[in-house]
């Protein structure tokens, strides 16, 4: 097995590129859930209450321990009618665009990984076959008869 590693030497650059693109692909795959969590936490669940409306809410609603009013039982349409802004649409669009770029980068990395891995494996296979062919061609006729054609092919 160690002898086979010697056939990889001409492909060191491609192997380094494969490792680089695997790291990029891993980073992109692991960052997508974080970006999605940001969309939910900072985009969808963001509630903006103007100061004048907050005064009215403080008078009419119970305040929870975290400092937020207890809006249980109200619909989103009720909150927006009161002037409370729910969600940060521009943030959602920006983060969604970043997610698309990250996913595209991961896909392109996967394509490069496949291309370079195929290049290395086919080149290494070709070099091994060439080396084997040279070795067999240097056999004498008596050695070829001793091994037999079938064992030389396999």
């Amino acid at each position: 097995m160690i002898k086979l590693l010697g056939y990889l030497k001409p492909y060191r650059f491609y192997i380094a590129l494969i490792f680089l693109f695997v790291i990029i692909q891993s980073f992109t795959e692991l960052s997508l859930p974080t970006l999605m969590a940001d969309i939910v936490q900072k985009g969808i669940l963001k509630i903006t209450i103007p100061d004048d409306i907050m005064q009215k809410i403080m008078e009419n609603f119970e305040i929870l321990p975290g400092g937020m009013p207890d809006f249980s039982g109200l619909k989103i349409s009720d909150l927006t009618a009161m002037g409370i802004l729910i969600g940060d649409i521009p943030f959602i669009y920006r983060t969604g665009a970043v997610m698309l770029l990250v996913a595209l980068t991961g896909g392109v990395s996967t394509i490069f990984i496949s291309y370079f891995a195929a290049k290395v494996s086919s080149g290494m296979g070709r070099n091994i076959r060439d080396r084997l062919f040279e070795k067999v061609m240097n056999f004498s006729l008596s050695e070829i008869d001793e091994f037999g054609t079938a064992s030389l092919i396999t």
Side-chain angles (χ1 to χ4, degrees):
M1 191 65 156
I2 292 176
K3 290 181 181 180
L4 291 177
L5 292 178
Y7 290 101
L8 289 175
K9 282 185 182 177
Y11 304 101
R12 285 180 290 212
F13 178 70
Y14 292 123
I15 293 170
L17 285 176
I18 290 170
F19 279 116
L20 173 70
F21 284 115
V22 165
I23 290 169
I24 292 170
Q25 180 195 22
S26 298
F27 174 75
T28 59
E29 293 294 324
L30 293 173
S31 65
L32 285 174
T34 303
L35 291 170
M36 188 64 197
D38 286 346
I39 285 178
V40 171
Q41 291 173 353
K42 298 175 185 173
I44 296 173
L45 296 179
K46 181 178 179 182
I47 297 176
T48 306
I49 305 173
D51 291 334
D52 58 331
I53 296 174
M54 188 63 174
Q55 291 299 328
K56 293 178 187 174
I57 290 173
M58 297 288 254
E59 297 167 2
N60 298 325
F61 289 95
E62 177 184 347
I63 304 301
L64 297 174
M68 284 297 292
D70 183 13
F71 291 134
S72 60
L74 293 178
K75 298 177 188 170
I76 291 179
S77 59
D78 296 335
L79 295 175
T80 55
M82 290 170 42
I84 298 174
L85 304 174
I86 298 175
D88 186 357
I89 300 300
F91 177 81
I92 294 171
Y93 284 141
R94 280 192 313 273
T95 308
V98 170
M99 283 181 72
L100 285 174
L101 288 174
V102 167
L104 184 64
T105 303
V108 169
S109 294
T110 303
I111 291 169
F112 281 134
I113 290 167
S114 299
Y115 173 76
F116 291 131
K119 196 167 184 76
V120 168
S121 64
S122 64
M124 182 181 166
R126 183 191 64 235
N127 293 345
I128 291 172
R129 284 190 306 275
D130 288 346
R131 173 86 183 196
L132 180 63
F133 182 75
E134 286 177 23
K135 184 88 169 174
V136 170
M137 292 310 291
N138 289 329
F139 284 167
S140 67
L141 291 176
S142 62
E143 289 174 321
I144 292 175
D145 287 338
E146 181 182 325
F147 288 119
T149 306
S151 64
L152 291 177
I153 292 174
T154 58

